[in-house]
Structure formats: structure tokens, C-alpha cells
Amino acid sequence: MSNDIKMLHTVNKSPFERNSLESCLRLAKDGSAVLLIEDAVYGALLNTSVSDQVAARTGNLRVCVLGADLNARGLADKPLIDGVEIVDYGGFVDLACEHDTVQSWL
Amino acid sequence: MSNDIKMLHTVNKSPFERNSLESCLRLAKDGSAVLLIEDAVYGALLNTSVSDQVAARTGNLRVCVLGADLNARGLADKPLIDGVEIVDYGGFVDLACEHDTVQSWL
Amino acid sequence: MKFGILVNEGPFTHQASDSAYLFAKAAIAKGHEVTRVFFYHDAVNNSNKHSAPQSDDRNLVKLWSELGTEHGVDLVVCVAAALRRGITDDLLAEGFNISGLGQLIEVGIEADRLVTFGD
Amino acid sequence: MKFGILVNEGPFTHQASDSAYLFAKAAIAKGHEVTRVFFYHDAVNNSNKHSAPQSDDRNLVKLWSELGTEHGVDLVVCVAAALRRGITDDLLAEGFNISGLGQLIEVGIEADRLVTFGD
Amino acid sequence: MADDYDDDDDGPEVVKRFMFVNRKAPYGSIYALESLEVVLISAAFDQDVSVVFMDDGVFQIKKGHDTDGINMKNFSKTYRALDGYDVEKLYVEAESLAARGLTEEDLIVDVEVLSSSALSDLMNSQDVVISA
Amino acid sequence: MADDYDDDDDGPEVVKRFMFVNRKAPYGSIYALESLEVVLISAAFDQDVSVVFMDDGVFQIKKGHDTDGINMKNFSKTYRALDGYDVEKLYVEAESLAARGLTEEDLIVDVEVLSSSALSDLMNSQDVVISA
């Protein structure tokens, strides 16, 4: 579309429990950013039953994960999917600024 | 196990949104009853992406669905999976009496 | 048969409280006893007497109060969960009382069945 | 940049209110403006001044109040959602005000970004 | 307490593209009902409003709701009133319908059924996206 | 307001088998923390208590929680204190661990790892099952 804007998608639910990450990945357009926060940070882990689903989009989406939520859940020592960036709350704010619209997948 | 009791499992979440029906079906022992209430009544419908998962257990589980919740959601006209029984709130109470323990999959 | 009921969610936001209420009513209608309803987590908000839903909507706080007073159902609001969420004695509708989590374990022991409604 | 924030859940039960608060703080720390936080659905419970979490836990109601008064953030509690849930003017912590849903659309129009936190 | 409705005259002049995304089933939680209330209010602001039903949100507009047995208000007719508020752009994701065994015939309002990919394009043309 | 803890002496004499089933991730919602509070109280009643971690509940007992960055209380050490309350029967579903890329080494407490089928048998021997 000619009037395309840049979108930041946030997801906050565990991909093992709910379908919100799956729906976000289905609808997020190439070139968009996806930020995993709260219980969605589990979606950034390597070697889980949902890793492949996320890894399949890291080539054409910018996938980020909130470090504070990763650390809270004791995941600092766990390998993440290749290409996933860790950001802090300031980075979350920057992402929101850099994109025209923020959509939350609740 | 020798001290086996009879269980009623209730599920109240949509199987399209959450994993609770799937977990319930994985853990429910043959001979138990499963009652679908609230948004879980969608799990009783035929011809959906989760119908097969439920139909695979109707042979060895008693699967019931709360009629009041089906009707609320406009599903009275929709075909249900073979073997699924519709019960009313009185039937819910009876099921709870007939089984020794009630487990809610929230 | 003696039923205990555990409710985990506040009124309106989730159907849990509605379902619990209709289950309790059906059990009483069938001649069973509902000895206690325990309100935990956000369910403590079921006791807020200021709840004023639209006139064509059900008023769950009032329905629970009536059930409690008419049928002698003990409506227990968990003190720890209530403190966190700002539910104080001043806010309690008729029939509700604030007490400890021990009341949940107790009804689990004493009732024939404990049925949970939540999110 | 001007941010509007929509919060959909009460304090404690879901992390949404915590995340929204930390996002608002980070935005302000970076020199942005948070013009309004709109509390909808169960988020109206964020304004209950009687909330008394354990002493070693965060007190979200207080944190929001401070953010509102220190940084001029308009803390709007939706009137329709509040009525249903029994949140009255008497319960409001400092800095919160009850107003209509129009305030949400208005901040959506006026802010550069609207960011939602919910369940 | 302020009035729930703002006068059109008081509204800001900017016209933004607002999209409301409904992904949750009705009655099991209040999000469907309270989100509909936001859509109705938005109509008073003369913005460019779209409403999307996807995932379990498609169940919100299933025909034939009858809530007598659960003691809750049946608000499904309100979707039919959206037209009267000039909220005319209603979209449904085709994949969500199919997974739930539904077709357009099952829906209480006229909608435009879009593929995921077409819906994705539409989302990427919005200024504000509100979901619950 | 009643005291949060009942004296052992006042408790009923019946011993029932109580199972607490934890299926939700910590911090994203309060269920993990408030459910742990119920388990602790149950210890005062001299019942036969089991605690199960399955689905996202296994994340509750992942090692190394550090909640400084989210301003929430880290309650994971309390699971290690359960032993002191004579709550010793902790079970984890093997399938849940595997799907999440975790092993017993990742857990902060000693648990018995059970297959779905063994866990199913255990559930079917309980008098009261409480989940949140």
C-alpha cells in the first residue's frame, strides 16, 4: 500500500499458553518490529516447541525482547533465537518513537 | 492405582486461544468426565481446527458441554462433535456429585 | 451434599463469578448445601458494595449478598488478597466477611466437593 | 514526543500496570511527554487509595499518583468501567480523576503514539 | 465526572485512522462489550474508524446469541447499530473464520472478509490501533 | 478480620489429599505468588499436600529469577522454604519441561519429574485439587 507506515507490535503472553504471538507473527508485515515483553519473553528462547515459529520470521522482522522481563524470569543464562535483540525500557521507548503505530497483541 | 477416584474436569477457556483444553485432555484419565463451560464451549463444535483433538477422546471420556453457555454464544444451531452431551446447570451439579473430585483447568 | 466454592476473578471482567453464582443457585435448588464461597485473587472485588452496573445488567455483588443472607452461605473474602486490592471492611456488601486463607483449606476439608471458578 | 498510555488491567493481578508505569517513567526520563494515562476495564482499580500491599512489595496506586503529580500526567479513570466495579470519587487516590471514554479517543488523536498494556 | 460523550463541536480537528482489533470471545470476559463501547464513543469524534474481528473475536458477531441462561446482557444487536453511527468499515480475517468452522452466513452484520495478508496491509495504514 | 493462620489444634481431624496445580508463568500474573500463599497456609492443617508444576507453571521454579528491573518481589526462594513447612511432594510434568527447553538442572527445588500418564494417575488419587 502506498500509505504504509512502520509498525511496532508488542506481545505480552506466553506462546505456550496463548495464541497471541502466533497471530502477531501471522499479521506482522515484513519490515515491522516485534517486541516481546512480560510472559511473551519465553518466545525468545532457543530449543523450545515454539522457537522455529519465531525463528522463521527473524529474517524479515526485527524481533526484540525486554531484558528486564527476561532477567525476572531467570532466563539470562538461556540461549536466545539467533537475531533476537535484547532492549531495556529506554529501548522500548525508542522503538515506539521509531515506528509510526504501536499495536499490542493482548 | 488402587485408590483411584472418579474425576470431573471443567474447562472454561477457548481452545483456539489457550492451551487449557489440550492440557486437560492430555491429563484426564479414561473414564473421567470433562465439562466445557464459558468460552470452552467452542471446543464442542464440529468442523473446527480443534474438533479432531476433542473427538479423539470422546470414546474414553464422557464429554459434556453447558447448554446455557452454548446458547449465549449463538451455537444452538451448530453441529456438535459426536458423543458430546449437553447439560444444564443442574446437570453440572449432578456431575460434580457423581464424581469424587472436581478439577478446574483455568 | 456439601459444596464449597472458590472464586478467583472479580465481577464483570470474567464470567467466573457469574458461573459460580449460577452453580451455587443450582446446587441449592437441588437440595444441596453450599457452605462457603471463598473469594480469592481479584474475586475480592465481588464484595464491593459501591458496584453500580447499568440498570439492565446483572448486579453480581447484590446477587451474592442475597444468596448469602437467604441461604446462610458464608461469603469469605480473603484478607491478604483484599489488602493488596484496597477492599476494606467499609466497602463490604451485606453478607460478606473478610477472613484468612485458612478458611479456604478448611472448606476444602469439610465440604464434600470444592469447585473452582476462575480465569 | 507525546505519548498516551492505555492500561486495561488492575494492579497486581496482571503485570500490565507495572509495565505501563515503567514505560511511562522511561519515556519521561528520555525527555518525552506522557500526556495522559487512561485506565479502562479493571485498570480502574489502579486508582483505589485503600490498596495496601505488603511492605516489601511495590505500591502501584502510590507510584501512579506520584507520577501524575510530579510530571503533570493526566490520570483518567473511565467512568463507565468505574461504576460497574464500584470505584467512586471517594476512593480515588491523589492525581486520578474520573472522566468519560472520550478522553481515550482524544489522547489517541492528540498524542504522537498510543501504547496499550493489558491482559 | 465528565459527560461520557463529547460534543462533536469540541473535538479536535485532526482526522486519524483508528483501528479497533477484537480478538476475544464474548461473555467469557468483558473485553468484547467494553471495546464496543469505545468504538461507539469514537464515532462522536469524526475519525476514520475501522473495526476488525479476528481470532476468537469473530465469535462476537456470530448470529443468534441468547444469554437468558447465563444472566448476562446480550449486546450483539449493538453491532448492527454501528452503521447508524457511521462506523461502516467492518473487517473479518478469513483464516480465523475458517479455523472456527464459520462462514459469512453465520455473522450478524455485513463485513468485508480479508485474507491475513490483506488485513496486514490494512493494519499498516493506521495511525492508532486499539485492542483489548 | 480473622488471623491469617489457624492453630493446628483448632483444625479439623480429617486428613485429605490436597493437590495444588500450578500452570501459569510467574510475574506476568499474580496467580503463582498467591497460589504459593495457599500452599503455605495448607501446611498448618496437617493434610496430605502435593504441589504440581506443569505447562507454564514449570517456569515458577526456574533458577535465577532477578526481578530488580521490573520492580516486583522475587518470591522464588519461598519454593525452597516449602520443605521447612513439611510440603515435600513436588512434581513436575516431563512433557512441559521438554516443550520449554528445560531440564531438572534448571529448577530451584528438588522435584519428582513425572510423565503425563504418571501425573494423571496421581491426580486421580486426590480428594481436593486447587488450581489458579
Side-chain angles (χ1 to χ4, degrees):
Chain A
M1 283 185 136
S2 55
N3 54 350
D4 251 26
I5 49 85
K6 285 180 68 187
M7 288 188 81
L8 169 66
H9 299 273
T10 69
V11 182
N12 73 333
K13 287 293 169 286
S14 163
F16 304 108
E17 188 200 28
R18 303 212 202 177
N19 67 343
S20 50
L21 178 58
E22 189 185 324
S23 293
C24 170
L25 293 176
R26 186 171 76 242
L27 274 295
K29 226 179 157 176
D30 286 1
S32 306
V34 174
L35 172 64
L36 308 175
I37 67 170
E38 301 179 6
D39 288 344
V41 300
Y42 297 119
L45 298 179
L46 205 59
N47 302 322
T48 76
S49 59
V50 302
S51 305
D52 287 350
Q53 213 181 307
V54 179
R57 292 300 311 270
T58 49
N60 42 44
L61 293 175
R62 181 174 173 196
V63 181
C64 303
V65 60
L66 195 61
D69 279 320
L70 267 182
N71 295 342
R73 288 157 183 82
L75 304 176
D77 63 334
K78 286 282 171 187
L80 303 187
I81 293 164
D82 258 10
V84 173
E85 286 169 57
I86 300 179
V87 300
D88 61 12
Y89 265 101
F92 183 175
V93 172
D94 291 342
L95 281 168
C97 292
E98 292 159 16
H99 295 80
D100 303 293
T101 305
V102 184
Q103 175 167 7
S104 303
W105 294 82
L106 304 176
Chain B
M1 282 186 133
S2 55
N3 55 350
D4 252 25
I5 49 85
K6 284 179 68 185
M7 287 188 82
L8 169 65
H9 299 272
T10 69
V11 182
N12 74 333
K13 287 293 169 284
S14 163
F16 304 108
E17 189 199 28
R18 303 212 203 178
N19 67 345
S20 51
L21 178 57
E22 188 185 326
S23 293
C24 170
L25 293 175
R26 186 170 76 243
L27 274 295
K29 227 178 157 175
D30 287 1
S32 305
V34 174
L35 173 64
L36 307 175
I37 67 170
E38 303 179 5
D39 288 344
V41 299
Y42 296 118
L45 298 179
L46 206 59
N47 302 322
T48 77
S49 60
V50 303
S51 305
D52 287 350
Q53 213 180 308
V54 178
R57 294 298 312 270
T58 50
N60 43 44
L61 293 176
R62 181 174 172 194
V63 181
C64 303
V65 59
L66 196 59
D69 280 319
L70 268 182
N71 295 341
R73 288 157 183 82
L75 305 175
D77 63 334
K78 286 281 169 188
L80 303 186
I81 292 163
D82 258 10
V84 174
E85 286 170 57
I86 300 178
V87 300
D88 60 12
Y89 265 99
F92 183 175
V93 172
D94 291 342
L95 281 167
C97 292
E98 292 159 15
H99 295 80
D100 303 293
T101 306
V102 184
Q103 175 167 6
S104 302
W105 294 81
L106 304 176
Chain C
M1 197 162 260
K2 283 187 187 179
F3 281 102
I5 293 178
L6 168 60
V7 186
N8 289 345
E9 300 298 326
F12 309 113
T13 303
H14 295 278
Q15 200 184 342
S17 178
D18 290 282
S19 300
Y21 171 76
L22 292 173
F23 179 87
K25 269 216 343 189
I28 291 167
K30 282 193 163 268
H32 300 295
E33 197 184 339
V34 175
T35 55
R36 178 175 296 156
V37 182
F38 192 86
F39 297 91
Y40 196 38
H41 306 298
D42 269 2
V44 298
N45 294 317
N46 280 285
S47 69
N48 183 340
K49 70 180 174 194
H50 295 303
S51 171
Q54 289 175 291
S55 56
D56 57 346
D57 200 359
R58 79 282 189 207
N59 184 327
L60 276 161
V61 176
K62 204 161 151 262
L63 290 172
W64 281 120
S65 276
E66 287 166 6
L67 192 85
T69 50
E70 284 169 24
H71 299 282
V73 181
D74 190 19
L75 305 175
V76 178
V77 174
C78 172
V79 59
L83 277 169
R84 231 171 232 137
R85 294 168 181 82
I87 296 294
T88 60
D89 276 315
D90 291 347
L91 294 180
L92 288 193
E94 199 188 343
F96 288 92
N97 64 90
I98 294 182
S99 188
L101 264 176
Q103 303 284 308
L104 168 60
I105 305 300
E106 194 184 276
V107 72
I109 295 170
E110 291 177 355
D112 298 303
R113 302 285 183 276
L114 180 68
V115 187
T116 305
F117 295 87
D119 176 33
Chain D
M1 196 161 259
K2 283 188 188 179
F3 281 102
I5 293 178
L6 168 61
V7 186
N8 289 345
E9 299 298 326
F12 310 114
T13 302
H14 295 278
Q15 200 185 339
S17 178
D18 291 281
S19 300
Y21 171 76
L22 292 173
F23 179 87
K25 269 213 348 184
I28 291 166
K30 282 193 164 265
H32 299 296
E33 197 185 341
V34 176
T35 54
R36 178 176 294 155
V37 182
F38 192 86
F39 297 90
Y40 196 38
H41 306 299
D42 269 3
V44 299
N45 293 316
N46 280 285
S47 68
N48 183 339
K49 70 181 175 192
H50 295 303
S51 172
Q54 289 175 292
S55 55
D56 58 347
D57 200 358
R58 81 281 188 206
N59 184 328
L60 277 161
V61 177
K62 206 161 149 263
L63 290 172
W64 281 120
S65 277
E66 287 165 7
L67 192 85
T69 51
E70 284 169 25
H71 299 282
V73 181
D74 189 21
L75 306 175
V76 178
V77 175
C78 172
V79 59
L83 276 170
R84 231 171 232 137
R85 293 167 181 83
I87 296 294
T88 59
D89 277 314
D90 292 347
L91 293 179
L92 288 193
E94 200 187 342
F96 288 91
N97 63 90
I98 295 182
S99 189
L101 264 176
Q103 304 284 307
L104 168 60
I105 305 301
E106 194 185 276
V107 74
I109 294 170
E110 292 177 355
D112 298 303
R113 303 285 183 274
L114 179 68
V115 187
T116 305
F117 296 87
D119 176 34
Chain E
M1 292 185 203
D3 195 338
D4 222 355
Y5 292 80
D6 281 47
D7 278 343
D8 283 12
D9 298 341
D10 298 342
E13 297 300 310
V14 194
V15 173
K16 281 194 173 181
R17 287 156 298 181
F18 274 74
M19 177 179 274
F20 297 95
V21 180
N22 295 295
R23 293 183 52 249
K24 297 202 173 147
Y27 309 115
S29 59
I30 204 171
Y31 302 104
L33 168 61
E34 289 191 331
S35 297
L36 183 55
E37 292 177 353
V38 182
V39 173
L40 291 172
I41 297 288
S42 75
F45 285 79
D46 295 320
Q47 303 294 302
D48 180 359
V49 172
S50 303
V51 183
V52 171
F53 301 91
M54 63 174 289
D55 290 333
D56 283 346
V58 301
F59 288 129
Q60 294 178 17
I61 49 173
K62 169 76 181 68
K63 276 181 190 160
H65 290 186
D66 173 4
T67 58
D68 286 352
I70 59 167
N71 204 20
M72 289 168 78
K73 194 159 85 171
N74 176 354
F75 56 94
S76 69
K77 284 182 187 66
T78 311
Y79 294 105
R80 287 213 297 239
L82 286 175
D83 198 47
Y85 286 82
D86 292 324
V87 176
E88 291 157 349
K89 299 181 187 173
L90 308 183
Y91 303 98
V92 167
E93 191 204 24
E95 287 78 354
S96 297
L97 273 187
R100 287 158 185 80
L102 299 178
T103 67
E104 270 188 83
E105 298 299 301
D106 287 304
L107 307 180
I108 198 173
V109 279
D110 287 335
V111 298
E112 187 172 344
V113 178
L114 299 176
S115 67
S116 299
S117 149
L119 180 56
S120 176
D121 284 340
L122 190 67
M123 279 179 175
N124 274 267
S125 67
Q126 303 298 317
D127 297 306
V128 179
V129 178
I130 295 182
S131 40
Chain F
M1 292 185 203
D3 195 337
D4 223 356
Y5 292 80
D6 280 48
D7 278 343
D8 283 12
D9 298 342
D10 298 342
E13 298 299 311
V14 193
V15 173
K16 280 193 172 182
R17 287 156 299 181
F18 274 74
M19 176 179 275
F20 297 94
V21 181
N22 295 296
R23 292 183 53 250
K24 297 200 172 146
Y27 309 116
S29 60
I30 205 171
Y31 301 104
L33 167 61
E34 290 191 333
S35 296
L36 182 56
E37 292 178 352
V38 182
V39 173
L40 291 172
I41 298 286
S42 75
F45 285 79
D46 294 320
Q47 303 294 302
D48 180 359
V49 172
S50 303
V51 183
V52 171
F53 301 91
M54 64 175 288
D55 290 333
D56 282 345
V58 301
F59 288 129
Q60 295 178 17
I61 49 173
K62 169 75 181 68
K63 275 181 190 160
H65 291 184
D66 172 4
T67 58
D68 286 353
I70 60 167
N71 203 19
M72 289 171 77
K73 195 159 85 171
N74 176 354
F75 56 93
S76 69
K77 284 183 185 65
T78 312
Y79 294 104
R80 287 215 299 240
L82 285 175
D83 197 49
Y85 285 83
D86 291 323
V87 176
E88 291 157 350
K89 298 181 188 172
L90 308 183
Y91 303 98
V92 167
E93 190 204 23
E95 287 77 355
S96 297
L97 274 187
R100 288 159 186 78
L102 299 178
T103 67
E104 269 188 84
E105 299 299 301
D106 287 304
L107 308 180
I108 198 174
V109 279
D110 287 333
V111 297
E112 187 173 344
V113 178
L114 299 176
S115 67
S116 300
S117 149
L119 179 57
S120 177
D121 284 342
L122 190 68
M123 280 180 175
N124 274 267
S125 68
Q126 303 298 318
D127 297 306
V128 179
V129 178
I130 294 182
S131 41

